[in-house]
Amino acid sequence: MRSYWARRAAGAVLVLLLVIAANFFLFRIMPGDAVSSIVDPRFSPEAKERMRELFGLDLPLHSQFFIYVRRMLTFDFGLSFLSQRPVWDEIRSRIPNTIALLGSALLLSSVIGTWLGVHAARKRGGFVEKLVLISGSVSFSFPSFFVQLVLLLLFAYTFPVFPLRGTVSIPMPQGTLNLVLDYIMHMVLPAGSLVLLGFGSWAIYVRNLMVKTLGKDFILLARAKGLSEERILWNHAFRSALPPVLTIFLLALPGIVSGAVITETVFSLHGVGKFLLDSILGHDYPAAGAAFYILGLLTIFSNLVADAAYSIADPRIRVGRRAER
Amino acid sequence: MFRTKVILAAFAAMAIISGAAGAGVFDLSAISGPKASDLYMVIYRDPDSQILALQKGELDVLGDITRPVDVERLSENPDVTLSISRGFHLFFMGFNLRQEPWNDMTLRQAASMAVPSRQIVRDIFSGYSEPLSAYLPPASPYYEPDVKVWEYSPEGARKLLKDAGWKWSADGILIPPGKNAPLKPFRLLSPTAQVAPTTAEVSERIAGALKEIGIPVSVEPLDFSMMMKRLDSHDFDLFVMAWSLSRDPDSLFAFFHSSMDVRGGYNIQGLHDDSLDKVLEELRFAPDRATAENAARRSQKMLSELAPWIPVYSRYMVTAVRKGWNGVISTEKTSADNMWTLINMEPASGGRRPVMWCLSDEPRSLNPLGTGSAYDWQVLGLIYDSLIAIDPETLDDTPWLADSWKVETAGEGSGRHTRLIFNLREGIRWHDGNPFSSKDVKATLEFLKKNEIPRYFDSVRDIEKIEAPDAKTLIVTMKNISYWHLHNIGGSPVFPAHILENVKNWETWQPASEPHPSQKGLTMLVGTGPFIFREYRPGEYVHFVRNDSFRLPGRD
């Protein structure tokens, strides 16, 4: 058991080092840099050269690489080329909104989707199954910006229940409770739109898993033993189908800090997604490198958590037990 | 038909102060303010939500409306007034003159005749742009209308080529004079349709038009960085590009002088013409406005003959303002989303209330020393003033922090240089109450020069000496002669000396988040402008309050 986790940890470190190296070289082999992207006749070639020096882009590549690796390992990500603010401050200011948006959307869509998927599998051909199949297809078919703009038009303009943009009203409400309620009201449409777009795929996935599981012999045995349908459904079938669902959930976790560019744009949210996109397009190496490094770390960590969660969710998967015997 | 009405109505309403007595006659001295209690620059990133917010009344002013469908939708809204003006946008196609066959001027002239600019403007922009023949946008005070116009005529283009000895192969491809092989296929570099859909469409139309006269061109869509890399390394046949220029014509030097044909230089097409170089040098180093204007006009005429670009169109600037506000300033050359409007606008009824102004993206740093972001400068431009401002109707210089100024040529022989003498206004105070004087301007220029700050590098590099003999007078001696020094120095923002002296590192300076050492509620963003910065909530808005002590020149 211990050697298994040691192997996994070593693997994780190796992947992390590869992520660090790839982040550096991938961005630099992209054509152009932050300075060459300045298209402004008021900037002479000399002024551009001065900017290149300030960004450290005039240094040899290996010097830039060592500075970069040191920064990643010490979590001192340096200054963003685009804003000249510390990259960590830039990311930190955006993470709360992004986690609130994507965390709530992931949680709600996975819970609603899983519940609907289980019930769709229980009553084949019933209303819930039809709903799941239709909603799944619809959510796959419509682009997110379209659904979000329709929601804005309906619930923020025609029936102005929710705000059009941002996370706070202007002027700002007074008092903590009012601020929290205001924040929730602002988040309903963006998070709701993501739930609307996301729950269908969860439901279809869980339904398919459950249909397969419910057809297995051990379910027949449970029914023969006279167990209640609820118990068979949740304690036997769902638990058996749980590991792949958990895998998808845990691997989706890093995504809640990577942001949602389109949603952030439509609802004018201050989030990581737009920052990441601007950093890549603007050749902001420190910002893009740091953001992908953090995402890499979270993905590796989620993988490790997923491994651990398997053994809890499914007693058949107890890694290393045989070796210990 | 309808859009024609919209444009005509908008241009007919130009040069007005809405809601003012005698509307229809523009009078700069009638402007006063600021009159609004607060200003919120609210961040709306998505164009559709911007329109919804304007229609819902959550925004009062929305500028830079680019989609024709939005213009037409808003023109039908009784609660919204549209202003349309000529801006400084210029879209063109460039040739690579370093290689055959584009070094042949006749071919370039014929290609210019093959591109149906009017039809492109009508089909793609529904008329909300104007076709171009010149090398400066029509709003520029230096625009020369009397240039050689290569009117759309594919037949004329063919005749021009035929007369110059060009022939056509059996499949209609051009054969250069004295050669037997037809032209090889060429690539027109263009941004991708995902990034710039209208540009991609215009590129396809240009390529199609060139094929019509026998030039085999296909569009090569590229990521913008990739495209810039190819242009920087001169690895291209043809390219399309758009510039947003300023009122001054010295960009012509950057675009067309042979010395700018270097890696990273703006003479992308590689034009080398000795006669033009001389005129462009006259323009760049003109001692006075008259010489500059003469050189600008001559260079445009020469360029229209040389045809290093095909100028295609210039986009109109469209701004929408909610009705219920008086005092909106809109002229033929300045759309309503300008500083004069912000100062002058007031509610048509009721007391003072905040103005909600759309900011279509996030400010990046609000560091006036480092940022080049247009969104940052929409904010910073209301805080920091410069010595001279731009008249919204004529685009001429008008007094701002300086009452008056003189541009002199001093020295002898090769040591002749420009000397700028500014007489500053009295009674101006910084937002924190400190008096403004020539020492502040001197400290600003010295700081910018000493630190070689890229954004200001080209403006201050030629400064030889800065003197502030008294609180009201500033004398700036330059190393060489150029009328444009006046705009470079006079147009730079002025920072308070007492703040600048505490800036340890200009690159990392974050004045918007540093509290002012003595004035509660203020930050280090201290200017003399019409609005006082209060707060920036990332992703949400920038909040200003009116500067009660602000006075426009002549209203002291």
Side-chain angles (χ1 to χ4, degrees), chain A residues 209-261:
Chain A
L209 276 176
M210 288 293 288
V211 165
K212 205 170 158 190
T213 310
L214 285 169
K216 288 197 171 166
D217 290 347
F218 72 92
I219 298 294
L220 193 62
L221 177 66
R223 286 204 175 104
K225 281 162 74 180
L227 297 179
S228 70
E229 270 304 305
E230 281 296 301
R231 196 167 165 196
I232 292 168
L233 194 68
W234 292 105
N235 290 15
H236 292 259
F238 182 64
R239 189 158 184 200
S240 171
L242 191 56
V245 179
L246 260 182
T247 308
I248 291 185
F249 183 83
L250 288 166
L251 290 183
L253 277 180
I256 68 172
V257 296
S258 68
V261 180

Side-chain angles (χ1 to χ4, degrees), chain A residues 31 39-44 46 48 50 79 83-85 156 164-165 167 172 265 268-270 274 283, chain B residues 43-46 53 56 225-226 243 266 361 364-365 451-452 458 461 507-508 510 537-540:
Chain A
V39 182
D40 183 339
R42 285 163 294 189
F43 262 79
S44 65
E46 292 94 323
K48 282 186 173 181
R50 170 79 184 120
L79 297 178
S83 70
Q84 284 108 45
R85 294 182 65 215
L164 269 172
R165 61 158 306 284
T167 59
M172 249 169 69
T265 305
S268 302
L269 295 173
H270 185 62
K274 180 78 170 38
H283 296 271
Chain B
I43 300 161
Y44 281 89
R45 291 203 186 106
D46 181 69
K56 200 180 164 188
S225 304
M226 188 67 196
W243 291 105
Y266 291 104
D361 209 342
R364 281 183 180 155
S365 70
N451 290 285
E452 296 186 347
D458 295 314
R461 67 199 288 189
E507 291 169 71
T508 56
Q510 297 299 322
R537 283 189 73 84
E540 306 291 343

Side-chain angles (χ1 to χ4, degrees), chain B residues 241-533:
Chain B
M241 189 167 278
W243 291 105
S244 190
L245 301 172
S246 70
R247 66 174 168 148
D248 290 340
D250 53 342
S251 56
L252 291 173
F253 184 93
F255 292 145
F256 301 111
H257 193 270
S258 54
S259 67
M260 299 304 280
D261 180 18
V262 292
R263 195 179 167 80
Y266 291 104
N267 186 351
I268 296 170
Q269 60 286 329
L271 177 65
H272 288 250
D273 186 276
D274 292 342
S275 311
L276 179 68
D277 278 356
K278 283 197 183 89
V279 179
L280 290 174
E281 283 156 24
E282 278 179 41
L283 170 65
R284 176 73 179 253
F285 303 108
D288 50 53
R289 162 113 191 210
T291 313
E293 188 160 346
N294 181 284
R297 294 191 186 283
R298 277 190 292 142
S299 58
Q300 288 173 81
K301 287 185 177 188
M302 292 170 87
L303 282 163
S304 67
E305 293 286 348
L306 291 166
W309 292 352
I310 302 178
V312 182
Y313 70 92
S314 174
R315 190 159 58 78
Y316 292 143
M317 306 308 290
V318 183
T319 298
V321 183
R322 290 278 305 179
K323 283 192 176 148
W325 288 94
N326 284 343
V328 174
I329 310 293
S330 170
T331 76
E332 185 191 346
K333 294 173 177 178
T334 308
S335 62
D337 55 336
N338 62 68
M339 181 196 60
W340 300 92
T341 291
L342 260 178
I343 292 172
N344 197 50
M345 70 191 289
E346 61 182 334
S349 58
R352 281 182 178 154
R353 62 184 168 95
V355 180
M356 298 291 178
W357 189 281
C358 181
L359 200 57
S360 33
D361 209 342
E362 191 94 30
R364 281 183 180 155
S365 70
L366 292 182
N367 172 3
L369 299 173
T371 188
S373 151
Y375 303 104
D376 281 39
W377 279 101
Q378 279 194 41
V379 174
L380 297 168
L382 299 174
I383 301 167
Y384 295 107
D385 285 331
S386 49
L387 297 176
I388 53 180
I390 301 171
D391 183 301
E393 189 181 26
T394 61
L395 300 185
D396 284 338
D397 301 332
T398 190
W400 202 252
L401 287 175
D403 259 337
S404 59
W405 52 87
K406 261 196 302 191
V407 183
E408 292 179 350
T409 302
E412 295 289 327
S414 61
R416 276 156 48 90
H417 55 264
T418 296
R419 192 164 62 182
L420 307 167
I421 302 159
F422 295 97
N423 295 309
L424 308 186
R425 286 168 58 202
E426 284 181 288
I428 294 175
R429 291 195 169 269
W430 294 99
H431 294 158
D432 57 7
N434 285 303
F436 161 81
S437 77
S438 59
K439 282 184 184 163
D440 294 299
V441 193
K442 183 172 188 283
T444 299
L445 295 174
E446 283 173 349
F447 188 95
L448 301 178
K449 186 170 165 66
K450 183 182 147 208
N451 290 285
E452 296 186 347
I453 298 174
R455 181 180 162 77
Y456 304 96
F457 184 82
D458 295 314
S459 297
V460 299
R461 67 199 288 189
D462 292 332
I463 292 177
E464 179 69 36
K465 194 166 63 173
I466 308 159
E467 297 160 274
D470 58 58
K472 261 199 76 179
T473 311
L474 180 87
I475 303 169
V476 185
T477 306
M478 308 302 294
K479 288 177 183 163
N480 49 26
I481 296 176
S482 175
Y483 173 72
W484 309 114
H485 289 320
L486 173 68
H487 291 174
N488 288 336
I489 302 298
S492 285
V494 180
F495 308 116
H498 62 281
I499 299 276
L500 274 186
E501 66 193 17
N502 294 315
V503 177
K504 300 281 181 286
N505 182 347
W506 67 266
E507 291 169 71
T508 56
W509 191 40
Q510 297 299 322
S513 51
E514 280 181 38
H516 190 276
S518 58
Q519 298 282 332
K520 204 179 165 198
L522 284 187
T523 65
M524 299 296 264
L525 277 182
V526 171
T528 50
F531 288 93
I532 299 174
F533 175 83

Side-chain angles (χ1 to χ4, degrees), chain B residues 1-8 71-73 75-76 128:
Chain B
M1 180 65 186
F2 178 74
R3 60 181 166 262
T4 314
K5 268 194 245 164
V6 173
I7 295 172
L8 288 177
V71 180
E72 296 196 0
R73 199 162 105 200
S75 68
E76 291 166 11
Y128 295 113

